[in-house]
Amino acid sequence: GAVVSQHPSWVICKSGTSVKIECRSLDFQATTMFWYRQFPKQSLMLMATSNEGSKATYEQGVEKDKFLINHASLTLSTLTVTSAHPEDSSFYICSANRGQGVGEQYFGPGTRLTVT
Amino acid sequence: DAKTTQPTSMDCAEGRAANLPCNHSTISGNEYVYWYRQIHSQGPQYIIHGLKNNETNEMASLIITEDRKSSTLILPHATLRDTAVYYCIVRLGSARQLTFGSGTQLTVLP
């Protein structure tokens, strides 16, 4: 099946610093990628939809100035958590649809962010 | 997207079939039923999807009732590695994103 990778798999940073997470589709092109956040013992919550060559679409309640998304190519989307705080500690997961229309969505392995 | 209802947790003996139910009574005619699973601390994994007919692949079978208001995911011979949270998701065919509910924690017991 299609493969989506994320880097890094885990990161620890100090409060107030910024962290960049990369999401790559390794064997297919993705015009749209998605970023989810998952807190312990909770389900995945969609944060934003990343569109290649245009601005991301953020879900209600997600601060676009805090979670910067860049989708510069058909295989790479990045999420930058700016001025991170302990409450931003979470499991961040990206995904991408392969092809148009109905089809499976492929997920990355996730990035565990811990802000101290 | 239509809302889904799943049991919070289920147990299954290793080697036996695991039958995971999902209720989606408000599903519309152009919405598909998708199943994903998430093993602890990993990204979700696609399992199967269907519209009206029953579907089978190498991982599982999906049984959708004739009125489409509910479905069952069947893992024919559960193994310990099938222990995960299983998500039933209803999604428009034209939609790109997925909306996750709380899912069912399946625990396969030795």
Side-chain angles (χ1 to χ4, degrees):
Chain A
V3 178
V4 175
S5 70
Q6 281 184 243
H7 178 80
S9 55
W10 60 271
V11 57
I12 301 173
C13 71
K14 292 188 176 181
S15 186
T17 61
S18 295
V19 175
K20 180 184 285 188
I21 302 170
E22 293 185 349
C23 176
R24 293 181 185 272
S25 55
L26 297 184
D27 55 354
F28 66 99
Q29 294 182 331
T31 56
T32 304
M33 291 183 174
F34 304 92
W35 287 96
Y36 295 82
R37 180 168 54 183
Q38 186 175 33
F39 293 108
K41 298 189 184 302
Q42 294 186 22
S43 188
L44 284 78
M45 294 297 295
L46 180 67
M47 298 176 65
T49 301
S50 171
N51 303 299
E52 189 267 335
S54 64
K55 292 184 178 180
T57 304
Y58 291 81
E59 295 300 300
Q60 190 173 8
V62 178
E63 300 175 57
K64 63 180 181 180
D65 294 330
K66 181 172 183 60
F67 298 99
L68 301 180
I69 292 173
N70 185 286
H71 194 152
S73 77
L74 289 173
T75 59
L76 173 65
S77 175
T78 61
L79 169 68
T80 301
V81 183
T82 63
S83 187
H85 290 101
E87 56 266 31
D88 298 323
S89 298
S90 188
F91 193 48
Y92 291 87
I93 308 169
C94 72
S95 70
N97 282 334
R98 181 177 184 174
Q100 302 294 325
V102 177
E104 52 267 39
Q105 190 171 115
Y106 294 95
F107 286 80
T111 296
R112 176 76 58 192
L113 170 63
T114 301
V115 184
T116 61
Chain B
D1 293 338
K3 181 180 172 58
T4 62
T5 304
Q6 298 178 253
T8 303
S9 64
M10 293 180 64
D11 292 340
C12 176
E14 187 178 19
R16 304 298 293 270
N19 297 281
L20 293 92
C22 179
N23 185 290
H24 32 78
S25 59
T26 61
I27 193 171
S28 63
N30 56 352
E31 287 182 311
Y32 289 73
V33 180
Y34 282 78
W35 283 84
Y36 283 78
R37 72 179 182 184
Q38 185 179 26
I39 296 171
H40 183 61
S41 293
Q42 296 183 24
Q45 177 189 22
Y46 166 81
I47 301 173
I48 199 167
H49 75 278
L51 181 63
K52 296 180 181 178
N53 300 321
N54 298 337
E55 302 287 345
T56 296
N57 63 20
E58 65 278 4
M59 288 184 68
S61 294
L62 173 61
I63 308 299
I64 302 174
T65 58
E66 192 169 344
D67 64 6
R68 301 186 70 239
K69 292 185 177 182
S70 66
S71 61
T72 301
L73 178 74
I74 301 173
L75 307 179
H77 305 288
T79 70
L80 298 178
R81 288 174 293 185
D82 292 323
T83 292
V85 178
Y86 286 76
Y87 296 99
C88 169
I89 300 169
V90 171
R91 172 190 176 196
L92 278 170
S94 59
R96 309 308 304 282
Q97 65 195 56
L98 294 167
T99 301
F100 286 81
S102 54
T104 296
Q105 171 66 60
L106 174 69
T107 302
V108 180
L109 304 172

